[in-house]
Amino acid sequence: MRLSQEQDVEGGGFRPFNSRLSSEQEALLPASHKDDEDAISTPKDSRKSHIFSDVKVPRFDYTHVGLAFVAGILSLFLVQLGICGTHCFSASQSGGTKITLGADILAAPDAGSTSVDQFPPPSPTNAYPSLFPTNVGYPGGTATGAEPGSIQTAPAYPVHSGAPHLSVPAGSGGSQKGLGSDLFKLWGNLSPWYSVGKKTFGLDSDPGTPQQCSVTGLHFLHRHGARYPTAWASYGGPANFSGRLNNVAQHWTGSADLEFMNNWTYKLGEELLTPFGRQQMYDLGVSMRIKYGFLLKDFTDTKTLPVFRTESQDRMLHSALNFAIGFFGYPFEGQYQQLITIEADGFNNTLAPYSTCKNASNKKKSERAWYFVRRWAAKYLDAARARLQPQLQGFTLTVEDVYTMQQMCAYETVALGYSKFCPLFTLEEWEGFDYALDLAFWYNNAFGSPVARVQGIGYVQEMLARLTHTPLKDHTTSTNKTIHDNPVTFPLNQSLYVDATHEVVVLNIITALNLTRFSEDGPLPDDHIPRHRKFRVSELAPFGTNVQFQLLTCTDRSGPQIRVVINDGVAPLTGIRGCPEDKDGLCPVDTFVKAQQEIVAKTDWRWGCDGDWEVPEGPEWDTVTGDPPDKKYSVSGSWI
């Protein structure tokens, strides 16, 4: 849904009734009780105070005081009834049971509404750019130094913790204490990227350059940084949930752990990078310059500039630009060239292949995951829903609502720095959420999707062209002839390539490359979490996920070598035909290229993206290679 712009209630908007009580008392009651007593006291000398000579001092007993108290309560009741009607004292929901709230305060009228802060102002009154130039001369010393190359000079590879400046919830659901920043690793694709470490993917190897080897080139693929939620959601969706809460705010109230929702508003925008997301990309650019800066010498020698690629979506463009600021420094103009491919229907784009793959828009084929996610969510969130429902009287929570609260925790944390939704859940429930996202991406975008490989194959074709220095000739997939036929926009002789894309495309590419380490557990079940599972989206496709395709020469191996490093974890390439079992994940480039050429030849874009095939819902049909049904599988769903 599109977000409406409504007034922020924080900092001067709605305040609870009790917060106004002292000021109202001061306005309604006399300022001094002593003055009151003096005014009604009997004068000592009645002859001098004839005004009070006939006044008798009233005497009150407990009966009078009791009646006055009851009358006060009744008056307060009638005043509240006249102001806000019967819902001051009860809350009901269509089809639900009327609940007496007593002294509880109902949610504010704007609870769940959207809060928006517009910055910068559209027409600032004090903007005089000519008075604030960015270059006034007098730069001081400007001698440059040697380029860094820590990937092969440092004794240890730097570890990325993943979440600077984000606040860790103190506790959750009674059992999250002590989890700390590990919570950030249980949010699937919403996790901030972090160094996964040795042995995560099965190899006890450091992402730094192996002994006897040196890095000669890098193909670098990364996802955009942390963003606000997308405008749509097939399951869950924070904006949908907040809107429904606001529509019936007069009927519900939160208490205990959910009391904060009485004045909670939805502060998330739509799809833009968050401040933390911008930092992720800047930091990623800095880290890659420190590791691979020495590769720029090749550009100096050939008198050329690097060409990096991104897409036209706002978060994609600004991810690339923030990366460039980190990598090149500000200003980066004149240091590289940024190719912006168009992400829209009808434009071939290997970094957004779904735009020209018709079957990728068919939810029955491309969104098979929700069948499995719904069943798993009903299982792992059953206790959480039962625990939270009594704390939100007047609004019936569904399992999907509770799942959305977990989404809200992740999104608010990477957007606002902290979220009160996080402490609502136990460690086991967060592990369940993490696995729910594994199910979502396994069946929608990776090895369990019938349209995964075909969408990732275009990027594989581009990589083969770069590795072999051979122009692309096949444009029957998502490749773009206009871009690829021009050596300026698609150079083939760079030592460094940087491409920015989405997490779904990263998973498409991992599937298309046949990195079978991550498909060993499939098909994934929807009734339990497999032990020691290999496919974890939080490790493969979090915010800022990045893949290093390192090119190396080694004195103890013949010919150029290639290896794949995903979020600083070395991935085995044994699923690629001919690649050996190697402790450092190395494979001869010639072997790698030949195997990928065979995969490209076997991948049928027309059948996968335009073919008239169907797959049944649920586990009746499955794939662990990301391929659609074979052509002998009929449209009716039976074998012929």
Side-chain angles (χ1 to χ4, degrees):
M1 59 176 284
R2 292 286 175 181
L3 302 180
S4 61
Q5 297 185 1
E6 298 183 25
Q7 184 178 359
D8 192 345
V9 301
E10 293 191 350
F14 176 82
R15 292 186 299 169
F17 176 82
N18 289 342
S19 68
R20 300 193 301 264
L21 188 57
S22 59
S23 61
E24 290 178 357
Q25 286 177 324
E26 292 174 358
L28 295 175
L29 298 178
S32 171
H33 293 288
K34 184 177 183 304
D35 292 341
D36 295 346
E37 293 171 358
D38 291 342
I40 65 173
S41 63
T42 303
K44 292 182 180 179
D45 189 347
S46 60
R47 291 171 297 180
K48 295 180 180 180
S49 305
H50 63 275
I51 298 176
F52 298 99
S53 60
D54 296 329
V55 177
K56 296 181 178 180
V57 178
R59 296 182 180 273
F60 300 102
D61 57 20
Y62 290 112
T63 302
H64 294 92
V65 174
L67 290 173
F69 180 78
V70 171
I73 294 295
L74 181 60
S75 299
L76 179 61
F77 173 84
L78 292 174
V79 169
Q80 287 184 300
L81 184 64
I83 293 174
C84 57
T86 59
H87 64 257
C88 282
F89 312 96
S90 64
S92 62
Q93 188 173 358
S94 179
T97 303
K98 188 174 183 179
I99 303 171
T100 301
L101 303 180
D104 289 342
I105 301 172
L106 284 166
D110 49 3
S113 65
T114 299
S115 298
V116 175
D117 294 320
Q118 294 287 359
F119 182 85
S123 300
T125 59
N126 65 334
Y128 296 97
S130 62
L131 299 181
F132 300 92
T134 58
N135 187 346
V136 297
Y138 307 96
T142 58
T144 188
E147 284 292 345
S150 66
I151 190 69
Q152 54 192 21
T153 60
Y157 190 92
V159 175
H160 181 64
S161 61
H165 310 307
L166 302 184
S167 297
V168 180
S172 172
S175 67
Q176 190 183 311
K177 292 181 179 179
L179 182 59
S181 60
D182 284 345
L183 172 64
F184 301 147
K185 301 177 182 179
L186 298 175
W187 294 343
N189 68 311
L190 306 182
S191 294
W193 91 270
Y194 60 95
S195 297
V196 298
K198 287 185 177 182
K199 298 183 180 180
T200 300
F201 302 143
L203 295 178
D204 187 14
S205 180
D206 191 284
T209 308
Q211 290 185 355
Q212 312 301 323
C213 297
S214 61
V215 173
T216 60
L218 176 71
H219 298 228
F220 189 65
L221 177 71
H222 71 88
R223 183 194 179 192
H224 57 73
R227 56 160 172 76
Y228 292 125
T230 56
W232 53 270
S234 295
Y235 186 75
N240 297 334
F241 178 58
S242 66
R244 290 192 295 108
L245 283 171
N246 180 243
N247 289 340
V248 292
Q250 72 275 21
H251 294 307
W252 60 265
T253 186
S255 61
D257 291 337
L258 298 184
E259 184 177 2
F260 75 92
M261 293 185 65
N262 291 330
N263 291 297
W264 171 80
T265 59
Y266 184 73
K267 300 176 179 65
L268 304 177
E270 180 183 305
E271 303 192 16
L272 299 178
L273 281 183
T274 68
F276 173 69
R278 296 196 296 269
Q279 182 205 1
Q280 283 186 296
M281 293 295 98
Y282 174 82
D283 287 349
L284 189 60
V286 171
S287 70
M288 298 311 292
R289 180 64 176 263
I290 292 174
K291 295 182 180 74
Y292 293 99
F294 68 96
L295 293 176
L296 295 176
K297 184 178 184 300
D298 293 336
F299 295 94
T300 301
D301 292 343
T302 58
K303 297 182 179 180
T304 59
L305 293 175
V307 175
F308 293 176
R309 295 191 305 170
T310 189
E311 304 163 29
S312 58
Q313 284 193 337
D314 189 278
R315 66 183 180 275
M316 295 303 313
L317 175 58
H318 289 94
S319 287
L321 297 181
N322 278 283
F323 179 93
I325 293 173
F327 190 88
F328 296 107
Y330 179 83
F332 52 67
E333 287 82 0
Q335 299 192 61
Y336 88 120
Q337 299 183 103
Q338 184 71 64
L339 180 66
I340 305 171
T341 60
I342 297 175
E343 179 170 341
D345 291 344
F347 291 88
N348 276 29
N349 191 337
T350 59
L351 302 177
Y354 36 78
S355 296
T356 47
C357 182
K358 184 179 69 174
N359 285 335
S361 300
N362 185 325
K363 293 185 177 182
K364 291 184 178 180
K365 300 175 182 180
S366 63
E367 294 191 14
R368 300 185 63 245
W370 307 122
Y371 172 94
F372 301 93
V373 172
R374 286 188 174 91
R375 281 158 177 74
W376 171 242
K379 183 178 181 65
Y380 88 88
L381 284 177
D382 182 60
R385 191 190 67 81
R387 183 177 68 249
L388 295 173
Q389 180 61 82
Q391 302 177 43
L392 196 66
Q393 298 180 7
F395 187 94
T396 300
L397 285 173
T398 66
V399 169
E400 186 173 354
D401 291 333
V402 181
Y403 175 84
T404 306
M405 287 180 171
Q406 291 188 295
Q407 288 182 309
M408 201 78 72
C409 159
Y411 276 121
E412 284 193 339
T413 299
V414 299
L416 308 175
Y418 178 75
S419 174
K420 291 184 178 180
F421 286 96
C422 296
L424 301 178
F425 301 96
T426 66
L427 170 59
E428 292 75 17
E429 288 158 359
W430 282 119
E431 290 173 339
F433 179 71
D434 194 46
Y435 184 63
L437 290 167
D438 291 346
L439 288 170
F441 286 90
W442 170 274
Y443 287 105
N444 281 354
N445 311 106
F447 300 93
S449 166
V451 290
R453 183 188 297 279
V454 73
Q455 291 186 79
I457 207 65
Y459 186 84
V460 174
Q461 290 178 281
E462 291 178 329
M463 180 180 289
L464 291 174
R466 290 165 167 176
L467 289 173
T468 61
H469 312 291
T470 304
L472 263 170
K473 299 299 182 183
D474 177 19
H475 298 293
T476 59
T477 65
S478 58
T479 59
N480 188 301
K481 180 176 173 60
T482 302
I483 292 173
H484 295 131
D485 282 356
N486 189 335
V488 175
T489 55
F490 190 69
L492 299 172
N493 56 356
Q494 292 188 168
S495 58
L496 174 65
Y497 299 93
V498 176
D499 296 317
T501 187
H502 302 274
E503 80 273 38
V504 296
V505 183
V506 172
L507 292 173
N508 291 162
I509 293 168
I510 288 174
T511 303
L513 289 169
N514 207 38
L515 299 184
T516 56
R517 158 74 182 185
F518 306 112
S519 64
E520 293 176 3
D521 298 325
L524 298 184
D526 60 18
D527 59 353
H528 70 280
I529 301 176
R531 294 187 62 188
H532 311 300
R533 70 188 186 279
K534 312 299 190 304
F535 184 84
R536 291 176 179 262
V537 175
S538 57
E539 296 173 348
L540 296 175
F543 282 131
T545 192
N546 55 92
V547 185
Q548 303 174 37
F549 296 93
Q550 296 176 343
L551 300 178
L552 311 97
T553 58
C554 306
T555 58
D556 58 346
R557 294 172 174 83
S558 61
Q561 304 289 311
I562 188 171
R563 71 173 182 162
V564 180
V565 179
I566 304 173
N567 295 323
D568 293 344
V570 182
L573 303 183
T574 50
I576 300 172
R577 193 175 72 82
C579 288
E581 290 189 10
D582 187 278
K583 65 181 183 64
D584 292 312
L586 293 168
C587 179
V589 171
D590 289 345
T591 301
F592 179 89
V593 166
K594 183 178 180 181
Q596 295 302 328
Q597 287 173 336
E598 293 175 355
I599 290 174
V600 170
K602 293 178 181 177
T603 303
D604 189 339
W605 172 275
R606 295 189 186 279
W607 174 248
C609 285
D610 300 322
D612 189 13
W613 49 266
E614 292 182 1
V615 289
E617 185 180 44
E620 183 180 341
W621 178 89
D622 62 66
T623 176
V624 294
T625 61
D627 290 308
D630 191 85
K631 288 185 178 180
K632 66 180 179 179
Y633 195 69
S634 71
V635 174
S636 64
S638 59
W639 292 96
I640 57 174

